[in-house]
Amino acid sequence: MVVRIEPSILSADFSAFAAAIARIPSADAVHCDVMDNHFVPNLTFGLPMVQRLAQVSALPLDVHLMIDDPDRWAPGYAEAGAQTVTFHAEAAREPIATARSIRQAGARAGIALKPGTGAAPYLAAIEEFDQILVMTVEPGFGGQQFMREMMVKVAEVRRAVAGRDVWIQVDGGIGESTIRIAAEAGADVFVAGSAVFGADDPDAAITALRALAAGTAPS
């Protein structure tokens, strides 16, 4: 299994994003949480910030849209330079059309599932997505406790992938005590916020998390 670690910029210093990204050279991507204070009760940043991050980041951007009306807005994030744009199933009116629009704009298309959202309706059209994000907390805020019961859903998605080039991402409460649990369930992309940017050496934290997910370090 290829392990991908994506630090969440939401846990970095908002006044020094470029410097924060420079401290994580071994990361596979920078995870950007876009929140609109409507779909979730929190407000972060939007398209202009992602455009700027794409200009200053040496790493790919994985944009997680926690917003209303992603059908309208998601393709613009692909056009801004994101490698992956993930939108929430619960907010999309036409998820397959939106995924196709993201791909047409040049990015990988991901769909995110809140803890209470079943995977089955979306797994039936799994070839339309490049990534499935299983939320392991309720979306909206960092620092929440990992929901171990979501590993059943991760395993369900892993079975459905069945050799396809579809990444399985987990987001929420990922750290040294939880990343191996998620990896064993079938996840291969891990979003970590405070576990990386809260460390004295963020890049060393990435190395440690990668080893734990790969099963090459003690848990």
Side-chain angles (χ1 to χ4, degrees):
M1 179 182 74
V2 176
V3 172
R4 299 174 179 89
I5 307 294
E6 300 187 352
S8 172
I9 201 73
L10 190 64
S11 295
D13 182 350
F14 272 34
S15 69
F17 276 161
I21 293 170
R23 299 185 70 197
I24 54 169
S26 69
D28 295 282
V30 177
H31 190 81
C32 304
D33 289 307
V34 174
M35 307 184 197
D36 64 358
N37 203 30
H38 293 285
F39 180 70
V40 292
N42 197 3
L43 181 67
T44 55
F45 47 78
L47 186 57
M49 181 64 78
V50 171
Q51 289 172 324
R52 183 59 179 148
L53 284 172
Q55 293 170 353
V56 303
S57 176
L59 297 170
L61 302 184
D62 176 16
V63 175
H64 176 192
L65 298 178
M66 289 174 267
I67 63 173
D68 283 344
D69 200 10
D71 310 78
R72 175 183 178 186
W73 297 110
Y77 287 87
E79 293 165 358
Q83 179 193 62
T84 305
V85 179
T86 298
F87 61 93
H88 268 269
E90 304 84 5
R93 296 184 304 275
E94 299 289 344
I96 292 176
T98 299
R100 290 176 178 176
S101 295
I102 292 169
R103 284 175 166 176
Q104 289 169 1
R108 300 172 66 256
I111 191 162
L113 308 175
K114 293 171 67 175
T117 300
Y122 308 98
L123 298 180
I126 196 168
E127 68 279 356
E128 300 287 350
F129 307 106
D130 302 294
Q131 176 168 283
I132 297 179
L133 166 53
V134 176
M135 293 298 300
T136 45
V137 298
E138 290 292 342
F141 293 92
Q144 299 183 63
Q145 186 174 357
F146 176 79
M147 299 173 69
R148 187 167 184 158
E149 60 270 29
M150 291 300 105
M151 297 306 95
V152 174
K153 190 188 297 185
V154 171
E156 177 187 6
V157 175
R158 171 53 64 194
R159 290 191 295 271
V161 165
R164 297 179 179 88
D165 185 21
V166 179
W167 300 355
I168 303 174
Q169 186 178 64
V170 286
D171 183 0
I174 298 298
E176 290 189 356
S177 65
T178 58
I179 192 167
R180 184 175 288 183
I181 297 168
E184 289 174 347
D188 53 17
V189 183
F190 306 89
V191 178
S194 56
V196 172
F197 286 115
D200 291 336
D201 185 340
D203 210 50
I206 291 170
T207 299
L209 289 171
R210 195 186 304 279
L212 285 166
T216 58
S219 57

